[in-house]
Amino acid sequence: MSALAGKLKAFVFGSPNGQKVYQNLKAADVPVTTADCRSCANPCDQDHDDYPSKMDIDMDSDMLGSVKPYRRQVVISTGKSDWANEVTEDKGTLAAFLSAANSSLDTSKEHKPNSDPSTPGVFSHTDAGRLAILNGSHKSFSSDESQETVIVLPDFKVMSGVPPTLEGAEMLWKTALDPSLGRAGAMSGSDELKTWVLPYSCLILLCSHKRRDKRCAIAAPILEKTFTQYLEREGWEVHTDLHDLSSEPSLESQATTDTDKEQLIETQLKSLHVEHKALILKNSHIGGHKFAGNCIIYTPRGAGVWYGRVTPHEVESIVKHTIINGQVLPTILRGGMDLACRGKMTLYDW
């Protein structure tokens, strides 16, 4: 048994610390499983791809608690899988304009999440205030090719028609990202800005930011291939680019009041799990590149599961236990948003 497999297995089934983490997550109403995160034998007997032997992954630091709480996370269309070292400092981009807009418009007091010390890194988005800004590999489907298409999480929404200007960033912030706003957002006053529910049963984000750390760039394409294989084996439809929604009715065209819009969003979100459709995107730096491969899985309910040290050997277990069954694998958990499901069995339950 390799050092990696041995350490992960011992985490839950051998070490007192591993068992304590499992019990703490369970006590916090997080749906967890004791299933192995690695589904194949060691050495691998399933012909999985693997990372280069020289790829150095931190196997000693405690990953749980390595996620900094945030209220919302946005993924901006770029059609690329690598970006400038710091995307929010890349002049002339929506990421940079949005960072500036957030700094000037967010007048709320600094939020200090009331996280449970027994489950570090696991938080409720309503207790946080930070806006996490990512670039994504998806292409924009805005009618104006110069405008961006933005995924807003945990709201599980897509917004098109966002100009890569300070004015466009401010419009996006005031419409969807202001901490005072709920999932329905606010009216934009712009005919260009349109919103849809993200039409997938889950969103899988894979850090691929080579200019930040080449380990993520090595891991991401291998994981994308392996996730696709195992999801399709389970009968799921897999997309590696966002479906063009421009010909479908937007939320603005279907709801005239905030209440109607909220009800429409919830109805659509509740119907998505049975669709068995997954969207896999590559994204810019999310922190913790020493724990590559880094993966975030979002469900329509808004849960965001952060996994680290993910290799192709763990993907089958992630697909079966987290993506299909809505349960968390504590051995590879870095943290997560809105994982607590009091009175519920899975991350998909409402």
Side-chain angles (χ1 to χ4, degrees):
M1 179 177 289
S2 70
L4 170 58
K7 287 183 179 182
L8 291 179
K9 190 174 182 65
F11 177 88
V12 166
F13 300 105
S15 74
N17 181 60
Q19 293 185 11
K20 182 179 180 181
V21 169
Y22 170 83
Q23 292 298 334
N24 287 342
L25 289 169
K26 194 173 181 65
D29 297 308
V30 176
V32 289
T33 175
T34 57
D36 282 345
C37 62
R38 180 173 178 136
S39 57
C40 60
N42 196 299
C44 179
D45 58 359
Q46 296 185 26
D47 198 29
H48 287 142
D49 292 329
D50 213 339
Y51 303 147
S53 58
K54 62 181 180 180
M55 185 166 155
D56 183 26
I57 305 300
D58 182 346
M59 290 302 305
D60 298 313
S61 300
D62 188 357
M63 284 199 304
L64 189 61
S66 61
V67 177
K68 185 178 179 181
Y70 54 95
R71 188 176 188 88
R72 281 190 171 95
Q73 186 173 66
V74 296
V75 189
I76 301 169
S77 60
T78 68
K80 302 175 182 179
S81 60
D82 192 26
W83 306 270
N85 185 276
E86 179 52 69
V87 298
T88 56
E89 296 177 2
D90 190 11
K91 293 183 179 180
T93 66
L94 182 56
F97 286 125
L98 186 55
S99 177
N102 184 62
S103 295
S104 64
L105 294 174
D106 188 1
T107 58
S108 59
K109 294 181 179 179
E110 182 68 23
H111 293 258
K112 294 183 178 180
N114 298 317
S115 57
D116 186 339
S118 67
T119 53
V122 176
F123 60 95
S124 168
H125 82 277
T126 56
D127 291 335
R130 187 171 70 95
L131 175 63
I133 302 171
L134 305 179
N135 278 344
S137 58
H138 59 298
K139 301 179 182 67
S140 178
F141 58 74
S142 300
S143 57
D144 184 334
E145 293 183 358
S146 69
Q147 296 175 342
E148 305 294 2
T149 298
V150 180
I151 297 172
V152 181
L153 302 160
D155 306 66
F156 223 69
K157 297 191 306 187
V158 180
M159 305 188 73
S160 75
V162 184
T165 63
L166 182 58
E167 293 75 15
E170 290 175 344
M171 177 176 62
L172 174 64
W173 193 94
K174 293 175 182 177
T175 303
L177 306 179
D178 184 334
S180 68
L181 295 175
R183 187 167 48 195
M187 299 301 292
S188 68
S190 168
D191 293 334
E192 293 294 322
L193 193 62
K194 297 179 181 179
T195 311
W196 295 264
V197 165
L198 185 64
Y200 294 93
S201 307
C202 77
L203 169 64
I204 303 168
L205 296 177
L206 303 172
C207 183
S208 64
H209 202 159
K210 183 178 181 179
R211 287 181 221 183
R212 197 64 181 253
D213 194 287
K214 64 182 180 181
R215 288 172 290 190
C216 291
I218 293 171
I222 296 174
L223 291 177
E224 179 187 71
K225 174 186 173 182
T226 312
F227 270 111
T228 300
Q229 289 174 337
Y230 277 105
L231 283 163
E232 290 181 342
R233 191 174 297 180
E234 295 289 343
W236 280 49
E237 181 180 336
V238 181
H239 294 184
T240 54
D241 196 5
L242 179 61
H243 174 64
D244 185 347
L245 300 169
S246 58
S247 63
E248 301 182 14
S250 66
L251 292 172
E252 290 83 2
S253 70
Q254 300 177 76
T256 56
T257 68
D258 290 345
T259 300
D260 289 344
K261 191 175 180 181
E262 179 67 36
Q263 290 177 346
L264 178 61
I265 292 172
E266 185 167 319
T267 298
Q268 292 186 14
L269 289 174
K270 287 181 176 179
S271 70
L272 288 174
H273 184 47
V274 297
E275 296 291 327
H276 295 171
K277 290 172 60 177
L279 174 62
I280 305 176
L281 297 178
K282 301 183 184 75
N283 60 270
S284 57
H285 179 65
I286 56 173
H289 43 251
K290 64 182 180 179
F291 300 129
N294 280 298
C295 168
I296 310 175
I297 299 170
Y298 281 101
T299 72
R301 189 181 65 81
V305 185
W306 287 55
Y307 285 143
R309 299 182 183 132
V310 178
T311 76
H313 309 297
E314 285 76 51
V315 169
E316 182 180 11
S317 188
I318 294 172
V319 167
K320 288 183 175 180
H321 297 291
T322 302
I323 295 176
I324 295 178
N325 292 334
Q327 295 180 313
V328 172
L329 292 157
T331 54
I332 52 175
L333 185 66
R334 290 185 55 192
M337 166 189 280
D338 297 339
L339 301 186
C341 303
R342 189 178 302 276
K344 310 296 181 183
M345 298 297 293
T346 81
L347 296 174
Y348 291 100
D349 293 341
W350 291 75

